[in-house]
Amino acid sequence: GHTTGPSLNNDKLYKFAYSAEVYVGRVKSSLQKSAGYRISSGVDVNLVWRNPNNDDDQLIKIMIKDVQVENVNERPAAKNIFQGKSTEKILGKKYLEALQRPIVLELVRGKVKTFYSYQNEPAFTQNIKRGLASLFQLQLHSGSTREVDVSGKCNTTYHVRQDQVTKIKDLDSCEIAKEGFTSHNPILDISKKISSATVYVLEDSFIKSIKAEENYVFLLNFRRKTGAKIVSKQKLELKSVQAGPGLIAGKQVASVIKTVDSSYVAIPLEAEPVKSECKKCPSLSEHWKSIREHMHPEKLSKAEAVKSFLSFIKSIRKATKEEILQVIRSENKELLPQVVDAVTSAQTPESLEAMLEFLDFKDASTFVLQERFLYACGFASHPSETLLKSLTDKFKGDIANEEIRETVVIVMGALIRKLCDRGGCKLPFVVEAKRLILNRLEKAKKDDNVRMYLLALKNALLPEGIPLLLKYAESEEGQISSLAATALQRYDPSFLTKEVKETMNRIYHQNRKIHEKTVRTTAAAIILNSNPSYMEVKNILLSIGELPMEMNKYMLSMIQDIIRFEMPSSKTIRKVLKDMRAHNYDRFSKTGSSSAYTGYITRGPDVSSTYSLDILYSGSGILRRSNVNIQIFDRNAELHASQVVIEAQGLESIIAATPDEGEENLDSFAGMSAILFDVQLRPVTFFQGYGDLMSKMLSATGDPMNVVKGLVLLTDYSQEIQLQAGPMAIADFLGGLAIDISGGMEFSLWYRESKTNVKNRVAVFLAGNTEVDSFFIKTGMETTLEIETALDFISTVQFSQYPFLVCMQMDRIESPFRSHVTKYESLPSGRRYTARGGKAVMLAGNEYPLHQENSNMCKSIFSAKSDSGGGWF
């Protein structure tokens, strides 16, 4: 009779040779250089029963024998961890016996209908057998189907040519229980490429040979040179066909199975999860003691601090709430903030419960720890709805410190956006938190409350919040209107409707009322960044020349920067300029000191990063706003790595100057606001009000104020992988940074000079571990990258004459960059093979070029300085 699946002959024993290999190594290097192992054995197959009513329904028995475990690549005896060990010693008697117990498959038209094995066998050996059994599943006509095997339920395509069948399994489509998570921003995440193909050669309607190969490649998106691959290969070859046992007669499968062995049970063909227990792992408090010395505040700009932070997070993820609280409660004030960073970043239900139990928001004295906890929540790589609910509950309760209260709602905004980005916008607690922010913003009476809900919205970026932002931008003044405008600036241009653009045009051109320069320039930036029309560009260009002095210069600089850097609106601007040639000269030859400039920090094959520096002064030479941005982007995504804005207003009275139009009644104020990794932080005030300013100026030490300090988890990727040969693998990539940003502003009335300084000190560490974890051997590869660097932005202004002199400097110190790779094979006994490689380079320091005009001014300021001695004041 005709069969549509492979068919075995009666009374024959088919003897095969089988091998399953795993390799772990670098993406581009050859398999010969990889770590790994091979299990090889004989496999005996015979037909037990054929359905008398359907030739295509057969029971076959499969038995593994003569098992060997060996290196996958030749190793000299000294480096061979299996040297001198029998298979029984390597696997253990119990496992070896289990592996050699036969299985029975019911094949119907070539597909495995039922997989019979013994109950309570170790999951590992059961999975190895499932991997072997899955090879016997194939169909003899071309086409696509969804079928279950060891990998789960997968889309599978068969190509049949005479005696050759190719089976392609789409591993991305497989449904199987496995754990894992990815990082929030694609730039910080890992890409994976996976494939699986099996080639069958048939002879005499049964299998002559099978070769299967599956590949997993993991690449770090921001540096694709860094990555790992896992390759799993299986091979089954027919060696001989001998006389074998006869068939069992019977009509029903169940009775035949009972006859073969009454202990057989039907179990699922897809692999079951295998959890490996750690025998010699240190406890959480032991781990903390071993890394504690690297976590002192003054060591936070070192890569070793970040490395310790990441390894500690891995331990916390396995710990109970009690173990976590034990470490927290035993630590001193100096080191606790770093413990809080790590525990919060671990993002397990246990770590969150421990933090909520430990922190008392009704107690203002633990302000620093509360703030570190909240920021770590804001930077969460894969936040849960529970985290947002916990913060919402805290916000509704008593909070002793007003700044912490503000921070809670600002961070709630960041969590709303992250959850919405992952399709969680409709989750009940997300809906509740959104409603809370929007309702309270609408009803807020006090400026402080308005400000805090605007900051929350600046993080949440809810489309339904745009009408409120427009209202505050146009009808309020001072910091409130400025904040509402910068919040709109963070939305994707696709959300900026006709109404938004009309409002921005009204603000810029002051159609309804007089607005401050800071808000007008932000409005112009929004218009020019969201696909402006010919007329919008023309009206902005026509306004240049009619604006207050410094604003003229700033707008001109912004337009030139867009053209020079070829930003999206540059084509329209060039077109308008061409048509306006007649009246350009006078308009575009304005003096002043304000400026806007964008340049590249790095341009790479994978990611590029840009810095932009823009500075706006008042007509009297006092800083109104300085804004430093660093953006990182690749072909599909971008990340606002950092922004530091120093804003000042109403300072003219210090130098007895006249305020600009529309700025006569602004209160004296200076402060700093930062965005870090797409999260707006709570702004810091240097001084508020004239009295506060004078007292701080007279005691001015010029000591920088700390804005952000801490450890942040950036790359957080973990995936379990079920290999089709049976073993489990895991790919873990953790990357973090230690950051210390401080900023300050100093005045010298004697020199009529002011100086703002922003220092960014950063250490980055990334650790990737890709491992195949079989209970009797761990084999894998660890990859690390580290860099320590510092970026300084200094702007010096001399306002003793007009146009006053401004010198901006942006420097990066020389920075060590190191990368290491370690491949390993290790046995539970401690026997271990490792191969290491790595390189270290010094990245040269760099003074980033700003525009030519700036360079000229720096020369004149520093040459004037060297002529006259004397101190500040």
Side-chain angles (χ1 to χ4, degrees), residues 451 458 477-486 516-519 521-522 614 616 622-627 643-651 663 666-674 683-688 745 756 758:
R451 194 180 81 143
K458 189 172 175 180
E477 50 197 36
Q479 294 170 52
I480 298 286
S481 60
S482 184
L483 176 53
T486 58
E516 292 164 61
K517 292 197 293 285
T518 44
V519 183
T521 50
T522 303
D614 65 82
L616 176 63
I622 289 208
L623 176 77
R624 281 295 269 117
R625 184 183 65 212
S626 90
N627 185 348
Q643 177 187 64
V644 178
V645 179
I646 293 182
E647 208 161 333
Q649 64 179 37
L651 302 189
E663 305 191 351
L666 291 178
D667 196 13
S668 303
F669 161 82
M672 176 157 172
S673 163
V684 181
T685 301
F686 295 150
F687 51 79
Q688 177 95 48
M745 195 170 179
T756 44
V758 177

Side-chain angles (χ1 to χ4, degrees), residues 214 225 246 267 422 435 510 611 670 701 718 775:
E214 105 187 289
K225 263 192 205 162
I267 59 171
R422 298 212 158 183
R435 200 177 297 134
Q510 307 196 101
Y611 62 92
T701 53
S718 174
F775 74 97

Side-chain angles (χ1 to χ4, degrees), residues 68-84:
Q68 297 288 317
V69 180
E70 56 206 343
N71 288 120
V72 75
N73 284 316
E74 290 295 316
R75 303 240 182 273
K79 292 189 172 179
N80 179 354
I81 56 170
F82 302 121
Q83 184 70 25

Side-chain angles (χ1 to χ4, degrees), residues 525-545:
I526 291 172
I527 297 164
L528 292 170
N529 189 35
S530 41
N531 194 10
S533 68
Y534 182 90
M535 273 322 287
E536 283 177 314
V537 171
K538 185 167 183 178
N539 287 334
I540 287 177
L541 289 175
L542 284 171
S543 72
I544 296 178

